[in-house]
Amino acid sequence: MTYTNVRQLKPAFSLTSLFIIFLFLSFHPAAYASLLMKPTYHPDLNYKAPILEGDYAADITHPDEILGFEIGQRVASPALITKSIETWKTQSDRLKVVEYARSHEGRPLFAVFISSPENLAKLDDIQTDLNALADPRDTSDAQANALIDRLPAIAWMAYSIHGNETSGADAALAAIYHFVASNEQEVDAMLNDMVIVIDPLMNPDGRARFAKSLEQYRGAAPNIDDQSLIHRGDWPYGRTNHYLFDLNRDFFYLTQPETKGRVALINQWRPQLMIDGHEMGAQDTFLMGPPRQPLNFNIAPSVQKWAQTFAQDQGAAFDQKGWRYYTGEWFENWYPGYSNYAEYRGSMHILYEQARIAEDGVKRPEGTVETYKEGVHHQFISTLANLRSLQTHSKQMYQDYWADRKMLISSKSPYADKSYIVLANDNHSRTRLLAEKLLAQDIEVQIVDEAFGVDDARNHLGESLDDVTIPKGSLVIINRQPEARLLAAIMEFDSQLRADVIQAEREKVLKEGRSVMYDTSAWNLTMMYGLEALEVDDELRKNTSPYTAGALLPADFAINKNAIAWFVDGADDASVAFAARLLEQDVQVRVVDKAAEFNGLSFNRGSVAVLITDNRKRENLTALIEQTAETLAVELKSVTTGLGEGEFPDWGGEHFVLLTKPQIAIASQAGTSSYDVGTTWWSIDTNLGVRHSHLDSDSLLRNDLRRYNTIILPQRWSMSDASKEALANWVRQGGTLITHDNASALMTEVENFSSVRLVDDIFEDAAKYDTALQRRLLAQRPYTVDDSLTSSALTTELSYPWDNKAEALEADELKKRNEWQQLFMPSGAMIAGHVNQDHWLTFGVNEQLPLLYRDQAILVAPQGAESVVSVGVYSDNEDANYEKALGWYSIPNGQEIHLRMSGLVWPEAAQRMANSSYLTREQIGKGQVIMFSGQPNFRGAAHGTNRLLLNAIVYGAGFGTRPFVAL
C-alpha cells in the first residue's frame, strides 16, 4: 500500500489551492472522512519488519486483502475478524471453526481449530482420549501410555479478553493465516503434531466499543501522545464487555455468556498450553511468564516447572529480534479467576502483556516511537515461540499431567479426607445456581438423601463444631476427585499465604502504602454466595447421591385458582424477581415482613403475597402469576384462608406491606466506576428483568427526577455539590437513594442530610457513636428478668453501658490510629457481618453474612440511623476484658468480636473496620437513603450482599418511604 508524505506535499500548495481543497472538503464531507480513515505516513512509524514471512499458498486470501490495510497497521474491527475467519474456513482444510458463544450484543465468539486434515478428521477421538487421560479412575498406566503416544499436543491461544488491548487479536489473525496458508515444512510438522485452538476475539463487544472510539479520534496526522483520547478511549472504555464486566475475572464465577461458552470448550479440550494476550501501560515493554509470588498452592508444581522452560524459549526469540522484555515482576497467580484458571486443571499458562500502543504509535522517553504494528509482531512471535516449545515438550508434559492426576485421586493426595458441605436451606435458587457453577467445571457434587452426623466440622469463622447434623438436601463436595485442584482453589475457606509473601506485603504497605496483591485475597464461592457451609476432614460418601440439575426445582407450578392469596417464599432470591415482574405489570403485590403460616404452610419473613382482594379487576391474574413463577423456577403456594395460625400474622394486619412499583434509575457516566455500574445494571436485568433508566450523573440538575422513586448511585470518585444537593432534595420529597462505596462517602458530605459518617470524621463525637453501638449490642442480648421488675422498692443497683468500660481514646489518638490503620486496608478479604434479622432490607439473608471488604468507605451510624448490617460477630468469652478502647468503640466485658473469615486481613485494618456499618438505612423527610460501604454485587458473584441490593431496589419505595393514596 502506498502512503503519502504530507510533509513533502506542503510546499506544493498555494493559498489558492488550499482554498479550493477546503471548498471541496466542505461540500464533500465523505472525502474528509476518508482522509481521516486512511493511515498517514510518518517517518517514525515506518516499521519495516514484516509480521508474515515465508511461502504462503496463493489460494488462501491474504489478510491484507480482507482487511483493506496491512495487518498490524490498524485495529481490525470484530466484523473484519469475523469476515477473515469466515473466508478462510471456505479455503483451507487445515481449520475448523466452532462458534462457542454469542456476546450480549449478538457478536459471535470463535474457537478456530487448526491442525493437519488428518487430525481434524478425528477430533472426536482425540477428545475422547483426552477425557480418558484426565480420569485415572477408569484408565490404567498402560492405557495412559498408549494415549500419550498417540495424542497430539493441544494448545489454546487466546487474545484480547480486554477489548481495548487490541494487538493480541490482530496477532491472532496473523497466526491463523500463517498456519493455514504456509507451505513451509516446519508448519506442516507442527500441524501433524498439534491441535492449535486460536480464540482470536474474546471480547467482541468491548473491542467494537474501542474500535469506534479510534474512528472518532483518528486525525489527519498521527498522534503519538499516549495521553490523547485515541490511545485511551472514552468512559466506559473498551476493556469490558457489554455489561462492563472484566471477563478476565470471571473464569470460575461464570456470570457472562462469553465466559460460559469459553470455559465449557476449554474444559472439553483440556489444553496443555493456554496463552492469554494482553496489553499494559503504553510506556512499558513486554511481560511474559513465569509469574512472581504469591502463587496459589493449588497449582501443580509440574506446571510451574514448565513455566521456566517456556520462558527461556520465548526470551530467546525476543533476544534474536533485539526486543526488550521481562518476566513476572508485578504479575502473580493467586486469584484463580483469571485466564490462568486452566492451570488448576493441569494446563501450562502464559500471560502476554504488550505495551498498549494505539494505531498512531507512542513516543518513548528516550525519543523513539514504537508502532502498533511492532506490538502485534511481539504477540505473533511469542505465539510461534510458545507453540514450538509445546511441540518439543508435549509428551513429557502429558506424563507429568498423568502422574499428577493419579496422585489427586489417591489416598496420598493432599486433597484426600476433605469435604465441603453447603447446608440445606430454603434459598433454592441460589443453592441451585452454586451447584450449576460447580458442575459446569466438571466438579462432582453430591446431595444428601438422609440426614447424618459428623463429629468435627469448621464453619466460615474457622470455629470447630462438634456433633453437627447434616440435613437432607445439603450439598456435599468431596475434594478427592480429578478436578481436586480447581475445587480446592474456589471452595477452600481460607487460602494460606506463604510467610515470605506476607513479609513482602508488609514491607510494600509500609514503604509505599500499597499492596503486593494484584487482586482480591479471598473469593470462596460459598462466602460470595452467602450460603452457610462447613469444611469437614473426611470423605463424606454415606447417605448421598449424585446431584442432578432438577434436584432443587419445584415439582410443578400448578396454581389453585380458587385460592384467596398466592405466595412465594421470601427466603428464595427469586421471590424478589417475582414481586418485581408482577409490579412491572401493575399487579398489586404485598410482602409479609415476619414469618407466617397459613393452611399448614410455613413462610419465611419477606415472603411475597398476591391477594385476590388487591387485584379483583385484574384479568388473567392467576395465569400471570403461574407463568411468572414458572419462568423463575420458583415454588408457588396457594392459600385459602387469611387467618394466620397461632401467633402468626393475619392477612389484613400491618405485616402485609403493600409494595410500590419501583421506577428505577442508575446514575453513571464519567467519574463513576464502570465495573460497579455494570454489575448493578446486569443484576437488575438478569435477576429482576424490569425496566430502568441510565442517567448522566453530571446532568442530574437538568433531569426531571420526579419520574423515579429509586435512584442508585454506584461507586464514584467525585460529584458536584449541586448534583449532591439535587439528590438530597429528591430524597426529602420521598425518593429512595441507594449509594455504593465512595458514593456513600460523598453523600455524607451533604449538609443537613444523612447523619451517617465516615469513621474518619467522627473522632470529636466518638462517644455518641459508641453509645449508639452499645444500644444495638444490648438489644441483641437476652434480658435477665429479676425481682427488680416486680418490686415496688427503688432499685439502687443498675448497670450502664459505660460501667467498667474500657478507657476511651482521645480524638487526636483516634485520628492518628485511623491514619495508620488505613494503610493496611485489605485488597479484598471476607469479613464477618452481623445482619439485623428484623429489618426488611435483610429478607433472605442469614444472620451471619460474609462481606467482601477492600479499601472502601468505612461507615458509622449514630442513633437514629439504622445499622442494618454491621461488621463483626460477637460471642461470649468471660476472659475477654479490655482496659483500653481499640478505637471509637468499646467492646463489652465478657464479649469478643470476630471479623476475619478469609483472605489477608491485617490486625490494624480489622480494628478500623470493627463495629462499623456495611449497610445503613435512614429516613430523611419523606424518603430514605440506603448506604452500602462497598460494592454489593462485586463481579456479579457476591450473591449474599446482592440480595440486600435487590431488596433495596424492589421493596424500598414501598417499605421505606411514606405511603400515599392516589385519588
Side-chain angles (χ1 to χ4, degrees), residues 400-593:
D400 286 350
Y401 174 78
W402 170 247
D404 189 61
R405 301 293 279 197
K406 283 199 304 180
M407 182 276 294
L408 292 178
I409 64 163
S410 73
S411 59
K412 296 180 181 179
S413 168
Y415 304 104
D417 301 322
K418 175 69 68 70
S419 297
Y420 305 98
I421 304 166
V422 181
L423 294 174
N425 60 84
D426 291 330
N427 197 339
H428 294 163
S429 294
R430 198 187 304 174
T431 306
R432 192 167 62 237
L433 183 64
L434 174 61
E436 289 169 359
K437 300 301 182 189
L438 296 174
L439 293 175
Q441 299 172 77
D442 297 330
I443 291 171
E444 298 164 0
V445 180
Q446 308 289 314
I447 190 165
V448 175
D449 300 318
E450 184 179 343
F452 63 88
V454 294
D455 293 333
D456 186 31
R458 289 179 301 280
N459 62 16
H460 279 159
L461 283 172
E463 298 170 322
S464 293
L465 309 175
D466 297 326
D467 300 324
V468 179
T469 298
I470 309 302
K472 179 180 179 181
S474 299
L475 304 182
V476 174
I477 306 98
I478 298 167
N479 209 154
R480 184 180 169 186
Q481 55 175 286
E483 299 306 334
R485 293 188 180 280
L486 175 61
L487 167 56
I490 64 179
M491 290 291 285
E492 62 188 357
F493 287 2
D494 197 13
S495 302
Q496 297 294 327
L497 288 162
R498 288 182 7 173
D500 60 332
V501 171
I502 294 175
Q503 177 63 35
E505 169 78 0
R506 187 82 180 181
E507 290 178 8
K508 189 88 167 179
V509 168
L510 290 170
K511 290 179 179 178
E512 303 177 26
R514 58 193 181 98
S515 175
V516 168
M517 309 296 291
Y518 187 68
D519 209 278
T520 60
S521 63
W523 50 80
N524 172 269
L525 268 182
T526 57
M527 294 182 188
M528 293 290 285
Y529 274 58
L531 293 171
E532 190 176 358
L534 301 172
E535 281 184 334
V536 177
D537 292 332
D538 194 4
E539 292 186 16
L540 303 177
R541 299 185 181 275
K542 65 180 180 180
N543 297 347
T544 66
S545 60
Y547 176 90
T548 57
L552 296 175
L553 284 171
D556 62 66
F557 302 95
I559 186 171
N560 179 356
K561 296 182 180 180
N562 296 317
I564 62 171
W566 299 272
F567 285 75
V568 168
D569 195 279
D572 198 299
D573 291 343
S575 63
V576 192
F578 181 76
R581 295 187 187 190
L582 292 178
L583 288 167
E584 182 82 358
Q585 299 176 78
D586 296 320
V587 175
Q588 297 295 318
V589 180
R590 294 181 183 267
V591 169
V592 191
D593 65 3

Side-chain angles (χ1 to χ4, degrees), residues 773-783 838:
L773 169 65
Q774 300 309 314
R775 288 179 65 168
R776 292 196 296 271
L777 294 178
L778 285 171
Q780 296 169 19
R781 296 178 59 78
Y783 179 75
D838 295 325

Side-chain angles (χ1 to χ4, degrees), residues 44 253 388 532 662 746:
D44 291 333
Y253 290 140
R388 290 181 182 123
E532 190 176 358
L746 292 173

Side-chain angles (χ1 to χ4, degrees), residues 15-34:
L15 289 175
T16 302
S17 300
L18 289 172
F19 181 70
I20 292 171
I21 292 172
F22 171 76
L23 288 177
F24 173 77
L25 293 177
S26 297
F27 288 100
H28 298 277
Y32 179 65
S34 176

Side-chain angles (χ1 to χ4, degrees), residues 894-959:
Q895 294 275 290
E896 64 181 2
I897 184 170
H898 303 263
L899 270 80
R900 179 185 173 277
M901 284 184 162
S902 182
L904 180 58
V905 182
W906 295 111
E908 293 89 342
Q911 285 192 12
R912 183 169 187 257
M913 294 184 286
N915 294 302
S916 64
S917 297
Y918 177 79
L919 175 61
T920 67
R921 183 263 173 196
E922 189 174 8
Q923 188 82 36
I924 298 177
K926 297 178 182 178
Q928 63 184 331
V929 60
I930 297 168
M931 293 184 175
F932 287 89
S933 167
Q935 299 174 29
N937 193 28
F938 182 72
R939 292 180 181 165
H943 293 276
T945 47
N946 185 58
R947 175 62 189 271
L948 299 167
L949 175 61
L950 296 178
N951 289 343
I953 293 170
V954 177
Y955 302 150
F959 268 89

Side-chain angles (χ1 to χ4, degrees), residues 15 44 248 271 292 384 448 523 579 611 624 627 656 776-777 788 845 863 877:
L15 289 175
D44 291 333
N248 197 38
R292 61 158 171 81
L384 298 184
V448 175
W523 50 80
L611 291 97
L624 182 58
Q627 180 186 16
F656 276 70
R776 292 196 296 271
L777 294 178
S788 64
V845 180
Q863 193 64 32
N877 182 353

